[in-house]
């Protein structure tokens, strides 16, 4: 029985924080753009930093664990 918590949290955060899919920080014309399906180098950097911070919070600080089976 493996711990699926890190896998689940990583996949969900990756989907939610993909630049341009749901939102883009910073946007091309505004601070936040929703559903633009476009991206820039700066938004990739911002989303990567947010992803790393949230992964650290959920996996290290909170310790999310999901056991299957």
């Amino acid at each position: 029985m493996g711990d699926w918590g890190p896998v689940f949290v990583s996949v969900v955060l990756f989907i939610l924080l993909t630049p341009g899919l749901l939102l883009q920080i910073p946007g091309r014309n505004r601070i936040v753009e929703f559903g633009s399906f476009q991206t820039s180098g700066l938004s990739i950097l911002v989303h990567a930093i947010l992803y790393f911070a949230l992964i650290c919070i959920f996996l290290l600080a909170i310790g999310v664990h999901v056991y299957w089976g």
Side-chain angles (χ1 to χ4, degrees), residues 16-28 30-34 36 38-48 50:
L16 292 177
L17 290 175
T18 300
L21 185 63
L22 296 178
L23 59 94
Q24 180 180 349
I25 304 171
R28 294 191 184 267
R30 297 184 212 142
I31 300 288
V32 178
E33 289 184 358
F34 295 97
S36 65
Q38 296 178 356
T39 189
S40 66
L42 183 60
S43 68
I44 292 171
L45 179 66
V46 169
H47 283 258
L50 284 173

Side-chain angles (χ1 to χ4, degrees), residues 4-68:
W4 285 91
V7 175
F8 180 71
V9 169
S10 300
V11 168
V12 168
L13 284 177
F14 182 80
I15 291 170
L16 292 177
L17 290 175
T18 300
L21 185 63
L22 296 178
L23 59 94
Q24 180 180 349
I25 304 171
R28 294 191 184 267
N29 299 324
R30 297 184 212 142
I31 300 288
V32 178
E33 289 184 358
F34 295 97
S36 65
F37 293 108
Q38 296 178 356
T39 189
S40 66
L42 183 60
S43 68
I44 292 171
L45 179 66
V46 169
H47 283 258
I49 292 170
L50 284 173
Y51 181 81
F52 177 73
L54 290 173
I55 283 288
C56 288
I57 290 170
F58 283 120
L59 298 184
L60 300 177
I62 297 174
V64 175
H65 298 287
V66 176
Y67 295 103
W68 189 267

